[in-house]
Amino acid sequence: MARTVGVEEELLLVDARSGEPQALSSAVLALAERRTGKDSVFEPELHHQQLEFATEPRADMTELAEEILRWRAEAAASAADFGASVAALATSPLPVKPVIGEGERYSWLARRFGLTAREQLTCGCHVHVSVASDEEGVAVLDRIRPWLPVLLALTSNSPYWQGQDTSYSSYRSRVWSRWPSAGPVEVFGSAESYHRQADALIDTGVLRDKGMIYFDARLSYCYPTVEIRVADVCLDPADTVLLATLVRGLVETAARSWRAGEPPDALPVSLLRMAAWQAGRSGLEGSLLHPLTMKPAPAEDVLNVLLAHVRGALEDSGDLASAESALRAVTSRGPGARVQRRLLAETGSLRTTVAECVARSRG
């Protein structure tokens, strides 16, 4: 039986006319809850200019795709009542003054981390994949480390920051890396070792709780899943489904390797940081660090290596053909960063670029 997959997407609330981010999450969330019922899938995020939704765990990728489209549409409909729209953009292309949300947790983050928290208006996509145990989950985390930068490049969707081209494809990843617990991690070797390190991080007093273990991939602290957190939110919802498909393939491939007694690659964190930086810088526009050699290689070659790595798992889940097709599509048109830059080159306007991205966010 295929592992279940759940997706969390963070979306930007923008003015329907100007494209400027709007601090409307409380009102939009209240309306969305009335529209969808008390068990609403929408939640607040750190800033009032964004909101998040989470899908149900799904074994079928077609059902996952339908649910992502449904909740993006519902978010847009709720925002429209307040003259706003939702954009699946990982950073705002237009200048913005982020507004921290209410509540003790967010107030604590603002006090503790200052400008890092205040500037952290970024939207990511988190993918949860079911695992049988923490032991299997940590074995997976140990074995997927070299592949996570490839997922970042594939989903890169944040070239602009405060009205400027950053020269990065995923500037969100650079902003996110300011958190003290963010980024790649070493091989843990066991669930006991993982939990011991997580506890040690909390015991420093720097972090508030386990929810602030911001590793690129971690054990979920509330679900029986591994949670891959490295991706930008995807402009095109089809890319979110591709991401989820590839992540499930990586998890299954890693679990099989563990069961076969194959050790993880003991790449140092320093090299993984280089790979993540390169992925955030170039996206799919240039070279990436090859996951098996950590040497520069064309991005398309690296994507083919990733597909080959998970091919067996995708064949068994029935996802290979759809993944190949989706990968060809994103390679051809590019992820969100390439689309945003092309739109700006064509229109000369960041406002028009945002407006077009609002439309594309609906799928």
Side-chain angles (χ1 to χ4, degrees):
M1 181 179 294
R3 297 173 187 271
T4 58
V5 183
V7 167
E8 298 170 352
E9 282 196 319
E10 297 163 352
L11 302 171
L12 199 63
L13 292 165
V14 300
D15 183 89
R17 292 186 176 181
S18 71
E20 295 174 356
Q22 299 293 298
L24 292 169
S25 63
S26 295
V28 173
L29 286 166
L31 178 58
E33 185 171 328
R34 292 198 297 272
R35 291 167 60 102
T36 61
K38 64 179 181 179
D39 296 325
S40 173
V41 301
F42 295 101
E43 295 182 355
E45 261 299 329
L46 177 59
H47 291 97
H48 275 303
Q49 289 98 336
Q50 61 187 150
L51 55 80
E52 178 186 81
F53 72 81
T55 71
E56 292 291 326
R58 302 285 183 183
D60 184 278
M61 287 298 170
T62 300
E63 294 178 358
L64 181 68
E66 292 170 350
E67 189 172 358
I68 291 168
L69 288 172
R70 175 187 175 189
W71 297 130
R72 284 193 180 197
E74 184 58 52
S78 296
D81 276 22
F82 302 95
S85 302
V86 293
L89 295 170
T91 56
S92 171
L94 294 168
V96 56
K97 293 182 179 179
V99 180
I100 297 280
E102 291 96 0
E104 172 54 28
R105 181 182 181 79
Y106 293 154
S107 295
W108 184 91
L109 287 170
R111 292 193 305 271
R112 186 74 169 105
F113 295 101
L115 190 62
T116 291
R118 294 196 300 273
E119 286 192 337
Q120 196 65 235
L121 180 56
T122 61
C123 295
C125 178
H126 305 159
V127 181
H128 288 258
V129 181
S130 61
V131 290
S133 65
D134 281 2
E135 207 64 50
E136 182 183 63
V138 171
V140 166
L141 298 181
D142 286 349
R143 288 162 176 78
I144 65 174
R145 299 184 313 141
W147 303 98
L148 299 181
V150 188
L151 301 179
L152 171 60
L154 184 65
T155 61
S156 54
N157 184 29
S158 46
Y160 301 115
W161 182 261
Q162 296 292 2
Q164 299 182 56
D165 191 319
T166 65
S167 298
Y168 287 81
S169 292
S170 172
Y171 194 63
R172 178 208 63 87
S173 65
R174 299 301 88 212
V175 176
W176 185 256
S177 68
R178 299 173 190 173
W179 293 112
S181 61
V185 292
E186 66 271 23
V187 170
F188 293 106
S190 69
E192 179 184 5
S193 176
Y194 177 93
H195 289 300
R196 186 166 57 246
Q197 178 160 328
D199 290 341
L201 291 176
I202 303 303
D203 290 345
T204 65
V206 174
L207 309 182
R208 181 182 173 94
D209 50 36
K210 290 184 178 179
M212 287 195 68
I213 303 292
Y214 291 153
F215 301 158
D216 286 345
R218 69 183 184 184
L219 294 182
S220 171
Y221 61 94
C222 51
Y223 302 113
T225 64
V226 291
E227 181 185 0
I228 285 69
R229 303 168 50 83
V230 73
D232 281 9
V233 70
C234 296
L235 179 60
D236 191 321
D239 294 352
T240 307
V241 180
L242 172 61
L243 170 68
T245 301
L246 294 172
V247 167
R248 179 165 69 176
L250 280 170
V251 170
E252 178 60 27
T253 301
R256 292 176 183 183
S257 173
W258 170 61
R259 289 195 296 269
E262 300 168 358
D265 194 325
L267 284 168
V269 170
S270 57
L271 279 179
L272 296 176
R273 288 192 181 279
M274 295 299 105
W277 184 90
Q278 183 62 39
R281 180 66 167 82
S282 65
L284 299 185
E285 303 312 313
S287 64
L288 298 172
L289 297 193
H290 194 295
L292 303 180
T293 67
M294 286 293 128
K295 304 294 185 184
E300 189 167 350
D301 291 353
V302 172
L303 291 178
N304 289 333
V305 170
L306 169 60
L307 187 63
H309 179 69
V310 299
R311 178 176 293 273
L314 296 186
E315 286 177 338
D316 291 345
S317 65
D319 295 320
L320 180 59
S322 61
E324 289 177 329
S325 176
L327 200 56
R328 286 193 298 270
V330 71
T331 302
S332 175
R333 69 168 147 72
R338 187 190 300 172
V339 173
Q340 288 187 58
R341 286 193 168 113
R342 184 170 66 244
L343 288 170
L344 180 59
E346 292 171 353
T347 67
S349 167
L350 281 175
R351 296 186 186 279
T352 304
T353 297
V354 174
E356 180 60 29
C357 287
V358 166
R360 291 174 184 239
S361 298
R362 300 176 189 138

